[in-house]
């Protein structure tokens, strides 16, 4: 499982921990600079409370679930997607809430990736006599991939999305917009936009397509909108383009990938075009590649999805019509 596949396909299982993961998914895109976290409290094999971290500064998932559980949390098992915190931030440590509630057992999906605090929460709980199990769940790891990269490297987690013909082209001719994907693929892309902090395109995409870069759905309103970023080294775009609309969503025009890091986003969806994708690949900045393939052929005059590379690039992971895999230089 990867972060992108998680946000597009959701959690399929029905275990208690799967329910905690589904709770956590409710917070994706809203918790910056914190990770999304979900929690369920179970007693006598019955669900007694749920919780998720909805927004930085608000209650953490464990505290919210324990508040709902009240006195029934005594002797319960708490399933949580991330190791409970043991430090003061905007809210008190979750470990103290767990101890105070009389929880008997804690099962968490992944250790806190912050090297300064990892393992501290589990240690405090064990010292208080609580049974603690870390299960290293792959979906829990995928859930916080953007947070993990951001907290360790101070760089955004990058998902690169591209839609091509069977022969690897993104347009029939240079400067011409070519529709590639159908409703299902477009819904996935808009779900990616909704989940990421920002969407980035190059100046050529703005000039040819004049995109809005908003998340839109036929059956529901978008829960949130991403910031919009244009990589425009030659300053070819202008305020009349839709990407710079004066609304509640910020827009940025940058000239280098170094500037992207300075914006402080935790996750960024890169939607092209080909030159932008090539730049990200060449600089080893792509964490996941979402590759949509349309059942059409555009021929040799078509615009290639990827430009010239200085060396071959090997992608780790599987490949299907929607490739969602880790990306690294060979």
């Amino acid at each position: 499982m990867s972060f992108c596949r998680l946000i597009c396909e959701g959690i399929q299982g029905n275990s208690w921990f799967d329910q905690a993961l589904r709770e956590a998914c409710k917070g994706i895109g809203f918790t910056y600079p914190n990770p999304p976290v979900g929690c369920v409290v179970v007693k006598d094999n019955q669900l007694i409370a749920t919780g998720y971290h909805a927004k930085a500064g608000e209650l953490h998932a464990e505290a919210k679930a324990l508040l709902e559980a009240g006195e029934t949390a005594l002797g319960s098992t708490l399933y949580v997607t991330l190791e409970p915190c043991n430090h003061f931030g905007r809210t008190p440590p979750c470990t103290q809430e767990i101890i105070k509630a009389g929880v008997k057992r804690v099962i968490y999906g992944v250790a806190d990736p912050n090297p300064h605090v990892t393992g501290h929460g589990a240690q405090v709980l064990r010292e208080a006599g609580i049974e603690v199990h870390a299960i290293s769940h792959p979906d829990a790891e995928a859930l916080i991939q953007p947070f993990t990269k951001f907290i360790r490297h101070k760089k955004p987690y990058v998902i690169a999305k591209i839609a091509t013909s069977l022969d690897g082209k993104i347009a029939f001719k240079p400067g011409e917009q070519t529709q590639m994907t159908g409703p299902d693929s477009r819904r996935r892309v808009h779900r990616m936009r909704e989940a990421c902090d920002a969407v980035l395109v190059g100046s050529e995409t703005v000039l040819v397509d004049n995109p809005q870069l908003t998340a839109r759905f036929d059956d529901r309103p978008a829960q949130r909108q991403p910031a919009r970023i244009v990589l425009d080294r030659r300053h070819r775009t202008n305020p009349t383009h839709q990407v710079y609309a004066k609304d509640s969503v910020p827009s940025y025009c940058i000239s280098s990938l170094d500037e992207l890091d300075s914006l402080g986003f935790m996750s960024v969806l890169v939607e092209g075009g080909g030159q932008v994708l090539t730049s990200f690949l060449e600089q080893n900045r792509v964490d996941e590649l979402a590759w949509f393939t349309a059942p059409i052929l555009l021929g040799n005059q078509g615009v290639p999805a990827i430009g010239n590379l200085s060396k071959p690039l090997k992608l780790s992971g599987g490949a299907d019509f929607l490739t969602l895999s880790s990306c690294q230089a060979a």
Side-chain angles (χ1 to χ4, degrees):
M1 181 66 77
S2 66
F3 178 69
C4 191
R5 190 176 291 278
L6 185 70
I7 61 179
C8 288
E9 300 179 359
I11 301 298
Q12 305 303 318
N14 292 307
S15 70
W16 294 126
F17 194 79
D18 289 327
Q19 293 193 44
L21 284 165
R22 274 192 285 274
E23 285 294 311
C25 287
K26 297 176 182 178
I28 291 177
F30 295 94
T31 60
Y32 176 91
N34 298 336
V37 180
C39 176
V40 299
V41 182
V42 177
K43 188 174 182 180
D44 299 327
N45 205 34
Q46 297 293 318
L47 179 67
I48 61 174
T50 65
Y52 72 96
H53 183 42
K55 183 180 179 181
E58 296 186 4
L59 287 177
H60 287 191
E62 304 96 313
K64 186 179 293 185
L66 290 171
L67 182 64
E68 179 184 320
E71 294 181 357
T72 60
L74 181 65
S76 65
T77 297
L78 184 146
Y79 295 84
V80 63
T81 57
L82 181 66
E83 176 187 2
C85 67
N86 188 51
H87 55 275
F88 281 91
R90 298 188 193 180
T91 58
C94 290
T95 52
Q96 301 308 308
E97 297 296 327
I98 294 169
I99 294 168
K100 185 169 60 176
V103 171
K104 178 181 178 181
R105 182 185 299 109
V106 172
I107 299 173
Y108 67 89
V110 63
D112 194 316
N114 186 335
H116 299 294
V117 301
T118 185
H120 294 183
Q123 179 182 348
V124 167
L125 293 175
R126 289 191 179 104
E127 290 173 351
I130 296 174
E131 184 182 335
V132 180
H133 300 278
I135 60 176
S136 299
H137 198 289
D139 291 352
E141 294 174 357
L143 177 69
I144 62 165
Q145 282 175 331
F147 175 76
T148 299
K149 183 175 181 182
F150 186 75
I151 201 71
R152 291 177 177 173
H153 305 290
K154 303 304 180 186
K155 294 179 182 294
Y157 187 85
V158 173
I159 300 170
K161 165 263 171 182
I162 194 161
T164 71
S165 60
L166 287 173
D167 51 349
K169 311 296 183 180
I170 59 174
F172 185 60
K173 293 179 181 179
E176 180 178 296
Q177 185 180 23
T178 304
Q179 183 67 51
M180 291 286 183
T181 54
D184 183 62
S185 296
R186 284 196 294 273
R187 182 177 179 84
R188 288 172 179 254
V189 172
H190 283 269
R191 176 62 187 124
M192 294 179 201
R193 290 181 180 179
E194 184 181 50
C196 289
D197 295 332
V199 180
L200 183 148
V201 296
S203 58
E204 186 70 15
T205 296
V206 174
L207 294 174
V208 174
D209 299 342
N210 193 22
Q212 298 178 57
L213 298 186
T214 55
R216 303 181 300 279
F217 302 92
D218 294 334
D219 58 343
R220 64 174 178 86
Q223 296 180 31
R224 64 182 294 275
Q225 294 294 343
R228 300 162 296 206
I229 307 171
V230 179
L231 181 58
D232 187 4
R233 296 185 176 93
R234 292 178 285 172
H235 305 290
R236 299 193 297 165
T237 59
N238 62 69
T240 65
H241 289 114
Q242 292 189 102
V243 73
Y244 299 120
K246 295 185 181 301
D247 51 26
S248 60
V249 180
S251 299
Y252 303 88
C253 183
I254 63 175
S255 57
S256 71
L257 298 193
D258 290 337
E259 289 184 60
L260 175 62
D261 297 338
S262 69
L263 296 178
F265 292 116
M266 201 154 59
S267 58
V268 174
L269 175 65
V270 174
E271 293 200 31
Q275 293 179 0
V276 170
L277 177 59
T278 302
S279 295
F280 273 83
L281 288 169
E282 279 278 79
Q283 295 187 40
N284 199 27
R285 293 297 304 269
V286 177
D287 297 288
E288 292 192 62
L289 183 60
W291 192 301
F292 296 82
T293 304
I296 59 174
L297 298 170
L298 296 182
N300 193 51
Q301 83 288 332
V303 179
I306 299 174
N308 295 330
L309 297 172
S310 60
K311 59 182 178 181
L313 293 176
K314 181 180 180 180
L315 307 184
S316 63
D320 50 22
F321 79 97
L322 172 57
T323 301
L324 300 171
S325 59
S326 298
C327 182
Q328 60 185 23

